[in-house]
Amino acid sequence: QNNIGSDIIMALDDVVSSVADDKTRFEIATYRTLRWLDRCFEAHRRPHDQNLFPIVQGGLDVSRGGLRDICLAGFRERDDKAPGYAIGGLAGGESKDDFWKVVDHCCRALPDTKPRYLMGVGYPLDLIVCTGLGVDMYDCVYPTRTARFGVALVDGEAPGTLRLKSHACSEDYRVIMRGCKCMACAGGYTRSRLHAMLKNDNPLAVSLVTHHNLAYMMALNKRMRDAIKNDTYGDFARSFVRDQYRGKESGGQDVPKWVKDALSAAEISLD
């Protein structure tokens, strides 16, 4: 990582699948992550121009004095060497209820003055919720991977996707999303045209949908950032969730309980 020269580099950690049923293995991984962090700090040759982030491990244990707390306590002892922190070990198949509680627990314990990076998380709804809980940075293959299957990210009803290979798109002459500035939408590629290109395995179609999804995520992040700057993030989050979940009475879906609980923990009410 020193040779590659990226601005942010990651400490080597021992990550265990979040759904593993092995308490001893999680305990070993937590303490090993702390030992390896010290070795990473010692080996880091470019601390003045590269930011080495520790990665919080500890499975789904958010009990008082539990594995996440042990890892976080170890990081606090090394805080003078850490310019930011990552939250790891999630997005591995755990329940959404367990997921948000770990994020919330870690964000409350990590310093407000340093960036918090949630690893492997990239669904738009997850970003909305976790930003409310205090996360600053994300990474995920989801926008590009789902594009390879002809699925575009769009605003609106959950799950916020448009399946361009579906028959419904075969005679739909609208662009993927009105107002989007990506190569596909700004270039006038209709859903119908992309549908035909995808059905014929035209590689350009995958590139166009990929560019759209990346543009969508960048625009979403800008909207979130602007809302934070304007001190209107609660309103923004409520609007986003209500657009996705109109309620069964309105012909849509009800807001999932985990979303309500997580936003409530972030002091964002949906009522």
Side-chain angles (χ1 to χ4, degrees):
Q1 293 184 89
N2 283 153
N3 290 338
I4 292 171
S6 55
D7 296 327
I8 297 173
I9 62 177
M10 310 309 299
L12 182 64
D13 62 336
D14 184 4
V15 58
V16 183
S17 169
S18 59
V19 295
D21 186 19
D22 189 340
K23 185 177 180 180
T24 300
R25 180 68 183 87
F26 278 114
E27 186 174 349
I28 291 170
T30 301
Y31 285 102
R32 180 177 286 150
T33 293
L34 289 170
R35 293 197 305 274
W36 282 356
L37 175 59
D38 289 331
R39 293 166 66 181
C40 287
F41 280 139
E42 185 177 350
H44 187 18
R45 302 193 311 271
R46 299 175 57 183
H48 300 296
D49 62 350
Q50 286 185 293
N51 300 282
L52 175 59
F53 281 23
I55 305 172
V56 184
Q57 292 295 343
L60 303 177
D61 184 3
V62 294
S63 61
R64 187 171 183 177
L67 293 179
R68 288 279 174 174
D69 274 356
I70 290 170
C71 196
L72 288 161
F75 287 178
R76 281 193 293 273
E77 293 175 359
R78 300 159 173 83
D79 184 63
D80 61 320
K81 299 179 180 178
Y85 294 92
I87 301 169
L90 295 173
E94 72 280 350
S95 72
K96 285 294 189 181
D97 202 45
D98 285 332
F99 163 75
W100 82 258
K101 287 178 180 177
V102 172
V103 174
D104 183 50
H105 187 82
C106 292
C107 285
R108 291 179 186 275
L110 292 170
D112 290 332
T113 55
K114 297 182 179 181
R116 306 176 184 124
Y117 160 35
L118 182 55
M119 304 184 74
V121 172
Y123 293 121
L125 180 61
D126 290 351
L127 268 62
I128 297 294
V129 170
C130 293
T131 298
L133 294 173
V135 174
D136 302 294
M137 302 164 55
Y138 304 88
D139 83 290
C140 191
V141 301
Y142 171 68
T144 52
R145 183 182 61 198
T146 198
R148 294 197 293 272
F149 294 98
V151 179
L153 304 180
V154 293
D155 288 337
E157 194 166 351
T161 56
L162 176 67
R163 297 185 177 276
L164 291 161
K165 287 186 176 181
S166 68
H167 180 71
C169 288
S170 62
E171 295 183 3
D172 190 334
Y173 300 105
R174 296 172 293 173
V175 295
I176 296 174
M177 197 171 82
R178 186 177 179 182
C180 176
K181 297 180 181 179
C182 77
M183 293 169 59
C185 296
Y189 286 87
T190 65
R191 299 176 181 186
S192 175
R193 185 176 179 186
L194 290 167
H195 169 86
M197 293 169 70
L198 288 163
K199 285 292 189 179
N200 286 285
D201 296 322
N202 187 326
L204 176 59
V206 173
S207 294
L208 289 168
V209 180
T210 297
H211 193 271
H212 168 82
N213 285 355
L214 291 174
Y216 177 89
M217 296 301 289
M218 292 298 289
L220 176 62
N221 275 272
K222 184 181 186 305
R223 289 155 61 195
M224 291 193 294
R225 191 162 54 245
D226 289 345
I228 292 170
K229 289 180 179 179
N230 295 327
D231 197 24
T232 57
Y233 189 79
D235 293 335
F236 173 78
R238 271 189 292 273
S239 176
F240 186 93
V241 172
R242 286 169 179 167
D243 282 347
Q244 284 213 335
Y245 298 97
R246 295 183 292 121
K248 290 182 179 178
E249 293 182 356
S250 301
Q253 305 174 57
D254 289 336
V255 179
K257 184 177 183 300
W258 77 269
V259 175
K260 291 182 178 180
D261 292 344
L263 290 178
S264 177
E267 300 182 4
I268 299 173
S269 172
L270 294 177
D271 297 330

